[in-house]
Amino acid sequence: MTDSARIVRRHPDELVIGLVSVSDRASAGVYEDQGLPALREWLGSALASPWQAVERLIPDERERISQALIELVDDNGCDLVLTTGGTGPARRDVTPEATLAVGTREMPGFGEQMRQISLRFVPTAILSRQVAVIRETRSHAALIVNLPGQPKAIRETLEGLKSEDGAVLAPGIFAAIPYCIDLIGGPYAETRPEVIAAFRPKSARRQARG
């Protein structure tokens, strides 16, 4: 299978996820990438329904990032694309611009919530420029979300923050992602509630089997 081949779903509800790590040095082999392993590990712990991933490790180059996102959605048929890295104010940080360039609709709530979570730890969270968009083609649509670059921050923004007794202090953004994918025509994804409870209105929930 080539990188541009459409992914074959092994189950009707299988979620196809594009994972993109943006880093000049990691893509050049200067150091080992941490973003892709962190994303794989978290998704493996959080998703209760079937999924498979298509991965890219690319440098901080706007055209390369945009092209990767287009290929993952249009050619590979990803339902969700998660990027990590390249969202700060440095001049080489161009992931948000590359993402906005390929989106057909912006989803500002994701970036707002990610910054709210990070602000609980560092005041420099306001320097983060993560965005989220929907990319639509004639027959397919996908949600694309920029995540932070550090594994700890990736987990916190996806999963949210909980107190020692398990109470939710700040909702993670992944709680809204399965329903968003429903609304744009993607598969019905389910999560493990002990990690992150996906929220859907009652009218959108499937009846429990058995």
Side-chain angles (χ1 to χ4, degrees):
M1 180 184 296
T2 64
D3 283 348
S4 61
R6 198 162 193 86
I7 301 301
V8 177
R9 298 183 199 272
R10 298 165 294 197
H11 185 279
D13 284 333
E14 184 173 53
L15 194 62
V16 180
I17 307 175
L19 304 178
V20 182
S21 184
V22 180
S23 170
D24 285 331
R25 289 180 291 175
S27 63
V30 175
Y31 63 73
E32 188 174 354
D33 173 63
Q34 298 182 15
L36 294 175
L39 288 168
R40 283 196 305 269
E41 180 182 1
W42 190 87
L43 290 166
S45 70
L47 285 170
S49 51
W51 65 284
Q52 60 174 306
V54 187
E55 300 181 357
R56 299 283 190 277
L57 175 58
I58 54 179
D60 291 274
E61 296 174 8
R62 180 169 171 172
E63 292 303 319
R64 290 280 300 275
I65 300 167
S66 288
Q67 186 59 39
L69 298 178
I70 291 170
E71 289 175 357
L72 288 167
V73 176
D74 299 13
D75 299 334
N76 297 139
C78 291
D79 309 295
L80 170 67
V81 179
L82 301 175
T83 76
T84 175
T87 59
R91 297 181 75 171
R92 290 288 291 176
D93 289 336
V94 293
T95 303
E97 286 74 23
T99 302
L100 291 169
V102 304
T104 52
R105 301 188 193 185
E106 190 172 356
M107 302 291 287
F110 285 100
E112 293 166 3
Q113 181 62 10
M114 283 189 277
R115 283 181 281 275
Q116 286 300 312
I117 292 170
S118 296
L119 276 169
R120 290 174 171 264
F121 299 97
V122 290
T124 50
I126 60 174
L127 303 180
S128 174
R129 303 187 303 115
Q130 290 109 311
V131 300
V133 302
I134 292 172
R135 176 172 174 81
E136 300 160 295
T137 68
R138 185 180 298 273
S139 60
H140 181 64
L143 174 65
I144 304 173
V145 183
N146 299 157
L147 297 172
Q150 296 302 314
K152 180 175 181 290
I154 290 172
R155 179 180 58 79
E156 289 166 349
T157 54
L158 288 170
E159 189 173 321
L161 306 175
K162 297 177 182 177
S163 65
E164 291 185 1
D165 62 2
V168 175
L169 300 175
I173 63 163
F174 207 87
I177 285 178
Y179 185 49
C180 181
I181 293 172
D182 293 350
L183 293 172
I184 60 176
Y188 190 94
E190 297 181 283
T191 61
R192 295 186 175 94
E194 65 271 20
V195 178
I196 181 76
F199 178 82
R200 287 179 171 94
K202 287 183 179 180
S203 60
R205 298 174 196 165
R206 285 186 179 172
Q207 295 296 321
R209 297 184 178 91

